Amino acid sequence: MAEAVVSVLVERVGEYIIQEGRSLFGVGNQVRRAHRDLVFIKGFLKDADAKRRDSEAIRTFVAEIRDAAYDLEDVIEAFVLMVDSKRKGGIKNVLKRLGYIFIEGVRRHKIGSEIGVITITISDLKQNLQTYGIKEIRDSSTSLQLCEGQQLLRRTYTHVIDRNVVGLEDSVHELVGHLVKEEHRHRVVSIIGMGGSGKTTIAKQVYHHKEVTDHFDCLAWVCISQQYQVRDVLERIYVKLISASNKEREEIKNLKDDEIPGRLSRLQNERKCLIVLDDIWKTETWDFLKAAFECHEDSKSRILLTTRNEQVASHADDNGFHYRPPPLNESESWKLFEKIAMSGRKAGIDAEVYTKMEELGKEMVQHCRGLPLAVIVLAGLLARKNTIKDWVTIQENVGVYISRGFGRQEEEHAYASWVLALSYDDLPYHLKPCFLYLGHFPEDHEIRMKSLTRLWIAEGFISLTKQRQSSGETMEDVAYNWLNELVERCVIQVGERSSTFENIKTCRMHDLLRDLCLRKAEEENFLQVVKGSHKNEAMHPVSSSSSMVTYVSPMGKIRRLAVYLDENDDKLVPSLGERGGHLRSLLYFGPNDHYWFPKRKELIPSMFKDFKLLRALMIEGMDDGRGVKIELPREIGNMVHLRFMSLRNSDIKSFPPFLGNLICLQTLDFRVSDINMFIPNVICKMNKLRHLYLPSSYRARGKLQLSTLGDLQTLNSVSIRYCALNDLAKLGNLRKLSIRLSSSPLKNLEKILDVAGCVLNGIRCLRLDNDVGMESGAEVSQIVARCGQIYKLQLYGPTLELPKEFHSYSNLTKLLLYECALKDDQMAVLEKLPNLKSLQLWRNVFEENTKVLVFSAGSFPRLQFLTLLCLKGITEWRVEEGAMPSLCKLVIHDCRGLSTVPDGLRHLTTLMELKIEYMPKLFCSKLEEGGEDFHKVQHIPSLIIIQHPRD
């Protein structure tokens, strides 16, 4: 891992030497010397990483190298920023600073001296390599080049979807029977097994099984984890069971703690509910939750829980059904391995090579002893190995890892630990920091792909080679490819995909892999995770091996910190003395995935103070729901190294002018709760911004200048009243744009669009909000007409007519229309879109007098996902034969004007799922077996009906 850290830092320092040559005047020779020494040292670190397991001296030596490399980058960046700020200040700024020239000179000399000291330290470390018997190991090609080659080899086939489902049919069938059949009266059904045995995978198969979704009126799934909040768990269950609207969510949020259990209990008595409690660790957890699950003896509601602890299952229900998933047999283990590791190989390699791989694979799979997670991770490791030599190397390492102690019989995860450790060690150097960074996030957390990859970029993990730059590939593209490689290696799991299942939206980690991640992060001093403290006590790291808080003395300086907070904490961040002054990443996590607030508002400023080297700051969802505003302290303006800052969903009082000091920012997510905030004209100073998210509505004095943001890829949102559309012409890298029409008429719109034409034609995702009304409908159409290459389009508010050429937008795959008041004839334009895959029609999509919706023969040839939501004016929907020949999923939600589903659904042979939500009782009863519309839907494998509790 030291090789990984130093390799990344060597690249970063090299970039400074090339790009910032002028700014390094006076210290350039020292920096180049230190860089050469680090390049030399890097060649020895692979051997040092291998030997330090058995040597405390080498461990200390490696930590010193790592810290020296980090310190060099920090001090170089501080020097460059200081020089650049003086150079860009102009004559006015120079005159203003005249009295401080001496102080600036002293500061420059001080930083230059620090660079000199670090350079000498690195030189000394280079000389000491021989002392520790560390040998040089040079690869003939870098792991990054190998990675790129392997990506090309495997790009045409994927094994991500449904690969984990092998050998579960009998388990699922048995569990479904115990949940739905009258002869089985078990209130609680438990799946018990060690980590990695497939408990959650089986539970998901059961949860989505057609017999289960048909039998139960409402379903809820919650993951408990080791750090949980009782209130949060019960709220989430209640929200899911009643499919709560936003208004109902607010009502639930305001309920007293003792009211929610009663409501849940009543609901389970009145309706047939299935509640899945995934991953309960302790009997005490059940005791805290059980009041919500107390029901009459004749209740038809059921609990399905998964646990590693049989005592939990017995404690929950003495008479419950306990199920232990059997290990995969030899044939099932091989089938699972084959789906992941051997997919697509047969056609591309020699038969003799394939046979040898098959022989080696079957021998290695035996060591997994039927544990699904072990098989999956081993297969993911080998999926990217393309030669017999690579496979033999892994086979030999299997024996080494088992003999080293990984996988001892007495360990709970005996058959998984060796393969997890092997899989981590096999990661190429550029992926190891990316994997360890995942350790910031709490157990069972759904990690947003965009946030994660932008954090990697902020940390400097992603570097663009000249070859990649010339091909037009961005750092975001590289980061996404690396995330996808971690998925393909099976060390992280896909959480949610986009509506067309093409892109990863969220990811998560299996508990055992997260334990490995935290253990490695602890060993490498890569990251520390701490919990907030009561009574202002010292905050100590959370050990990777259990949920208990234990103190682990760091070997080196703390560079990254994740803080898990509770609403009762008196201390929200370790003191400067506890953590030192070298933090690069600071990520705060509240007690749940929604909103939270500290017990005392005056504690908040401490969360922002004394972090001068910080590159990433995330504080999301800090909102008490009662309008208490958070004022950002001036100290944030000193965080000039900051590259990523997200205050998303926090109730921030204002956008202070000193944020303009953050000239290195790449991502600023200011989608805060206040939607009428004043924004000062300082964003133009942040000329390295790549992703800018402003509040959905805001005010400004005059027009905000945005033309300086040439690197910007995401701009959300542009208010026409307070931003000049002309500025878009200067944003040549813009790919995602959100515009709010808040004033009308727009002067010289055609002329402005002509000037910005090239930029608009490069937009891939566009959202337009028309707050003005019908009179701005034509302006919406004019803007859309200039964005002919878009992949995703969302239109909110009156549009009236789509552009004349809209039917030929061949790249458009996702479309959302909300209250657009389109004319009747616009359906004829929509249905001709050649490659549209996802269509959502919300509320009054068509003008008021539109009563009949017709999907004609041959319409929407590629459409896979269709959602009709709150189309209350539509009384009839006709689907002609030949329409939507590719449709997979259909959702009809609260379209109460409809009395029946279209007869044409009978012809949709590709339709796999029909979901009916909040429709009248009579409408739903027609779809049940024996109902008058059953013949229209009987061919659809999954029919899900969710009625509103009040119906």
Side-chain angles (χ1 to χ4, degrees):
M1 177 60 193
E3 180 202 19
V5 170
V6 173
S7 295
V8 169
L9 294 171
V10 162
E11 287 182 17
R12 294 281 299 135
V13 173
E15 286 171 6
Y16 277 122
I17 292 171
I18 295 168
Q19 297 170 11
E20 307 286 352
R22 282 180 64 203
S23 299
L24 293 173
F25 180 76
V27 296
N29 289 335
Q30 292 173 308
V31 170
R32 280 186 282 273
R33 176 184 160 196
H35 181 250
R36 282 195 302 271
D37 286 347
L38 282 174
V39 170
F40 181 82
I41 289 170
K42 189 178 78 150
F44 292 79
L45 289 178
K46 191 181 288 290
D47 188 43
D49 276 336
K51 287 179 175 174
R52 67 191 179 133
R53 292 187 184 97
D54 307 312
S55 170
E56 180 69 27
I58 293 180
R59 274 198 296 276
T60 304
F61 179 66
V62 167
E64 289 173 358
I65 293 171
R66 185 178 58 225
D67 275 343
Y70 274 129
D71 288 344
L72 180 66
E73 189 193 7
D74 287 342
V75 74
I76 289 173
E77 182 165 272
F79 190 89
V80 168
L81 286 173
M82 182 190 68
V83 172
D84 281 358
S85 66
K86 289 176 70 178
R87 183 187 299 145
K88 294 173 184 175
I91 188 66
K92 183 179 178 182
N93 200 33
V94 170
L95 290 171
K96 186 178 177 182
R97 287 169 164 263
L98 203 54
Y100 303 100
I101 287 175
F102 177 74
I103 295 172
E104 289 292 335
V106 169
R107 185 172 169 230
R108 181 168 180 159
H109 176 74
K110 182 184 176 186
I111 296 177
S113 298
E114 287 178 23
I115 292 175
V117 169
I118 295 167
T119 300
I120 293 169
T121 300
I122 291 171
S123 180
D124 291 343
L125 290 167
K126 174 187 170 185
Q127 300 304 319
N128 289 334
L129 285 166
Q130 304 300 327
T131 307
Y132 295 99
I134 300 170
K135 299 174 184 175
E136 183 179 22
I137 301 175
R138 296 270 181 195
D139 290 334
S140 57
S141 61
T142 69
S143 61
L144 192 56
Q145 290 168 333
L146 288 170
C147 161
E148 290 168 353
Q150 288 166 341
Q151 280 181 345
L152 290 172
L153 281 170
R154 298 191 60 81
R155 194 165 287 170
T156 55
Y157 45 87
T158 178
H159 49 260
V160 173
I161 299 172
D162 291 331
R163 62 184 171 208
N164 299 355
V165 184
V166 169
L168 304 183
E169 296 84 359
D170 292 343
S171 299
V172 171
H173 179 74
E174 185 171 356
L175 287 162
V176 167
H178 280 277
L179 288 170
V180 305
K181 291 182 180 175
E182 286 299 321
E183 62 265 29
H184 300 301
R185 303 284 294 176
H186 307 298
R187 170 72 177 136
V188 179
V189 173
S190 300
I191 306 174
I192 307 160
M194 70 167 69
S197 60
K199 301 184 297 298
T200 299
T201 302
I202 293 170
K204 282 182 180 177
Q205 294 289 308
V206 171
Y207 185 76
H208 293 290
H209 196 279
K210 189 175 187 303
E211 281 188 62
V212 170
T213 55
D214 288 347
H215 179 81
F216 291 100
D217 301 322
C218 42
L219 301 91
W221 176 295
V222 288
C223 195
I224 305 299
S225 78
Q226 294 185 71
Q227 286 86 34
Y228 68 94
Q229 298 287 316
V230 174
R231 167 81 190 220
D232 176 53
V233 170
L234 297 182
E235 262 190 41
R236 282 189 285 148
I237 293 172
Y238 194 41
V239 163
K240 289 177 182 177
L241 287 179
I242 68 169
S243 299
S245 64
N246 288 337
K247 184 180 178 183
E248 288 170 326
R249 285 172 186 262
E250 283 301 312
E251 290 172 0
I252 292 167
K253 191 176 177 181
N254 293 324
L255 291 174
K256 295 177 182 176
D257 287 351
D258 59 356
E259 289 181 297
I260 297 178
R263 289 201 178 197
L264 274 170
S265 180
R266 282 195 299 277
L267 185 62
Q268 291 168 83
N269 282 322
E270 293 166 2
R271 310 192 70 187
K272 286 190 288 187
C273 306
L274 174 64
I275 299 169
V276 180
L277 305 175
D278 185 35
D279 203 18
I280 296 189
W281 283 69
K282 298 177 181 178
T283 56
E284 293 89 337
T285 303
W286 176 263
D287 290 336
F288 288 131
L289 299 172
K290 68 180 181 181
F293 306 133
E294 291 177 354
C295 296
H296 303 320
E297 282 189 18
D298 58 351
S299 170
K300 301 293 179 66
S301 294
R302 299 287 179 263
I303 306 291
L304 175 64
L305 66 82
T306 72
T307 182
R308 304 180 189 196
N309 185 349
E310 188 152 13
Q311 288 183 342
V312 170
S314 301
H315 189 71
D317 186 356
D318 283 339
N319 300 313
F321 176 69
H322 296 181
Y323 184 78
R324 283 189 170 275
L328 300 176
N329 61 35
E330 190 174 324
S331 170
E332 291 165 343
S333 294
W334 173 248
K335 186 178 177 183
L336 178 57
F337 178 90
E338 191 177 32
K339 285 179 77 173
I340 301 169
M342 309 296 283
S343 173
R345 286 188 190 273
K346 215 163 196 174
I349 60 174
D350 181 73
E352 190 177 332
V353 173
Y354 185 89
T355 303
K356 182 62 177 175
M357 285 182 171
E358 195 174 49
E359 178 190 321
L360 291 166
K362 286 182 176 178
E363 192 277 325
M364 285 185 272
V365 164
Q366 290 180 5
H367 293 290
C368 298
R369 305 291 181 91
L371 192 68
L373 179 66
V375 176
I376 289 166
V377 175
L378 177 65
L381 169 60
L382 287 159
R384 304 188 68 83
K385 305 297 181 186
N386 296 303
T387 68
I388 293 295
K389 182 181 176 183
D390 289 339
W391 280 57
V392 169
T393 300
I394 296 297
Q395 183 206 30
E396 290 169 351
N397 281 334
V398 166
V400 171
Y401 276 71
I402 292 174
S403 65
R404 191 184 287 160
F406 298 113
R408 288 190 296 268
Q409 292 288 336
E410 63 270 18
E411 290 182 6
E412 181 194 356
H413 315 301
Y415 309 129
S417 57
W418 66 268
V419 73
L420 302 186
L422 177 58
S423 184
Y424 170 77
D425 285 348
D426 185 71
L427 289 176
Y429 80 77
H430 66 278
L431 286 184
K432 284 183 176 175
C434 298
F435 174 74
L436 294 187
Y437 204 89
L438 291 155
H440 281 86
F441 297 90
E443 185 182 359
D444 300 318
H445 190 81
E446 287 282 322
I447 305 165
R448 291 194 301 271
M449 178 277 294
K450 286 181 180 176
S451 295
L452 176 64
T453 52
R454 290 167 188 175
L455 283 163
W456 288 350
I457 292 168
E459 276 274 2
F461 298 159
I462 312 297
S463 176
L464 281 179
T465 62
K466 288 180 183 177
Q467 182 182 359
R468 279 172 160 164
Q469 285 175 319
S470 63
S471 70
E473 193 172 33
T474 66
M475 287 195 287
E476 288 76 8
D477 295 331
V478 175
Y480 182 82
N481 288 338
W482 290 6
L483 175 71
N484 207 47
E485 184 178 349
L486 290 172
V487 169
E488 289 184 348
R489 287 173 171 271
C490 303
V491 293
I492 59 174
Q493 301 169 336
V494 175
E496 182 185 354
R497 287 191 178 271
S498 63
S499 59
T500 54
F501 292 101
E502 291 170 346
N503 296 318
I504 300 167
K505 289 185 75 174
T506 68
C507 63
R508 57 177 176 262
M509 299 188 80
H510 189 281
D511 291 351
L512 296 188
L513 280 157
R514 183 172 179 271
D515 284 346
L516 170 76
C517 179
L518 288 176
R519 189 165 64 248
K520 291 294 182 182
E522 192 176 279
E523 289 173 7
E524 302 292 346
N525 196 36
F526 180 87
L527 157 73
Q528 284 204 353
V529 178
V530 299
K531 295 178 74 174
S533 71
H534 304 310
K535 301 177 183 176
N536 211 32
E537 298 165 345
M539 298 168 72
H540 295 316
V542 176
S543 169
S544 61
S545 57
S546 74
S547 61
M548 301 298 292
V549 179
T550 57
Y551 182 70
V552 183
S553 179
M555 185 176 285
K557 298 166 183 174
I558 300 172
R559 306 280 176 178
R560 298 171 190 88
L561 192 64
V563 184
Y564 298 171
L565 295 173
D566 188 303
E567 288 171 337
N568 296 314
D569 287 331
D570 296 296
K571 188 174 180 180
L572 306 183
V573 65
S575 66
L576 183 61
E578 290 172 328
R579 58 177 162 78
H582 298 85
L583 275 187
R584 290 175 161 231
S585 276
L586 178 59
L587 277 54
Y588 292 97
F589 297 92
N592 55 56
D593 291 334
H594 306 294
Y595 295 99
W596 66 281
F597 205 78
K599 66 187 290 187
R600 297 201 314 275
K601 183 183 175 183
E602 57 268 25
L603 295 171
I604 293 172
S606 67
M607 303 171 74
F608 299 92
K609 288 186 176 180
D610 300 319
F611 302 111
K612 289 187 178 179
L613 295 177
L614 207 62
R615 293 173 174 232
L617 174 65
M618 189 170 83
I619 306 176
E620 297 183 343
M622 190 160 55
D623 185 340
D624 75 337
R626 296 188 293 272
V628 176
K629 301 291 182 185
I630 300 162
E631 188 157 358
L632 297 176
R634 296 193 65 84
E635 282 81 0
I636 291 182
N638 297 328
M639 298 181 193
V640 292
H641 297 264
L642 207 59
R643 287 157 166 76
F644 176 101
M645 182 165 73
S646 178
L647 301 170
R648 184 176 180 172
N649 295 331
S650 295
D651 199 357
I652 306 299
K653 183 178 181 180
S654 65
F655 190 109
F658 51 74
L659 292 184
N661 296 345
L662 308 180
I663 59 173
C664 290
L665 265 182
Q666 298 167 339
T667 298
L668 174 60
D669 194 336
F670 217 81
R671 288 176 285 186
V672 297
S673 304
D674 191 331
I675 59 168
N676 197 29
M677 178 181 290
F678 177 80
I679 307 282
N681 200 3
V682 297
I683 295 172
C684 55
K685 299 179 183 179
M686 307 174 186
N687 57 16
K688 293 187 178 177
L689 272 175
R690 303 170 73 86
H691 307 281
L692 172 61
Y693 297 91
L694 293 172
S696 58
S697 179
Y698 51 85
R699 297 174 294 110
R701 187 174 291 112
K703 300 280 189 180
L704 295 178
Q705 285 180 267
L706 301 174
S707 60
T708 58
L709 310 180
D711 290 337
L712 208 61
Q713 297 176 28
T714 304
L715 178 52
N716 184 336
S717 63
V718 174
S719 168
I720 297 300
R721 179 175 293 174
Y722 299 114
C723 300
L725 270 184
N726 312 50
D727 285 353
L728 295 181
K730 303 288 180 64
L731 310 182
N733 290 298
L734 201 59
R735 294 295 175 264
K736 187 171 183 179
L737 175 63
S738 172
I739 298 177
R740 183 170 292 275
L741 300 178
S742 48
S743 61
S744 187
L746 287 175
K747 296 179 181 177
N748 304 316
L749 180 59
E750 276 299 324
K751 186 177 179 181
I752 292 169
L753 294 177
D754 284 341
V755 173
C758 287
V759 171
L760 291 174
N761 198 48
I763 298 296
R764 296 295 177 260
C765 299
L766 175 67
R767 171 172 172 160
L768 284 171
D769 289 78
N770 180 359
D771 292 348
V772 178
M774 295 293 185
E775 61 268 34
S776 286
E779 293 169 349
V780 173
S781 185
Q782 282 178 279
I783 295 169
V784 174
R786 300 306 182 102
C787 302
Q789 302 301 313
I790 47 176
Y791 288 76
K792 181 179 179 180
L793 174 63
Q794 297 177 325
L795 299 179
Y796 290 81
T799 304
L800 308 184
E801 283 189 298
L802 297 162
K804 289 181 181 178
E805 301 301 318
F806 191 72
H807 66 276
S808 63
Y809 280 27
S810 58
N811 288 336
L812 189 60
T813 58
K814 299 178 186 178
L815 177 62
L816 184 152
L817 302 174
Y818 179 93
E819 293 191 344
C820 292
L822 293 172
K823 295 178 180 178
D824 261 350
D825 61 358
Q826 295 300 290
M827 178 55 85
V829 178
L830 290 172
E831 65 183 16
K832 290 177 185 174
L833 285 165
N835 294 307
L836 191 68
K837 293 182 179 179
S838 173
L839 174 63
Q840 297 182 56
L841 304 178
W842 287 34
R843 302 183 75 87
N844 302 316
V845 174
F846 298 95
E847 55 191 352
E848 279 187 32
N849 59 356
T850 304
K851 302 296 180 185
V852 181
L853 197 59
V854 180
F855 284 39
S856 60
S859 63
F860 300 109
R862 298 283 180 86
L863 193 67
Q864 296 176 13
F865 307 94
L866 174 64
T867 298
L868 308 180
L869 192 144
C870 299
L871 301 179
K872 296 185 180 178
I874 302 295
T875 57
E876 183 185 355
W877 178 28
R878 294 203 297 266
V879 175
E880 297 179 0
E881 187 172 357
M884 301 184 289
S886 305
L887 195 67
C888 299
K889 182 176 179 179
L890 170 62
V891 177
I892 303 173
H893 179 104
D894 202 16
C895 298
R896 290 179 172 258
L898 292 176
S899 58
T900 181
V901 295
D903 186 65
L905 292 190
R906 293 185 297 114
H907 308 301
L908 302 181
T909 56
T910 58
L911 190 57
M912 294 290 107
E913 182 179 320
L914 171 60
K915 197 170 188 179
I916 308 295
E917 299 176 331
Y918 286 22
M919 293 296 285
K921 215 167 191 177
L922 180 60
F923 182 99
C924 297
S925 65
K926 291 179 182 179
L927 298 173
E928 294 172 358
E929 194 164 354
E932 62 183 272
D933 286 344
F934 180 68
H935 68 286
K936 302 177 186 178
V937 299
Q938 62 182 349
H939 65 291
I940 303 171
S942 177
L943 173 62
I944 300 169
I945 300 177
I946 299 173
Q947 291 181 255
H948 196 284
R950 297 195 186 102
D951 285 337

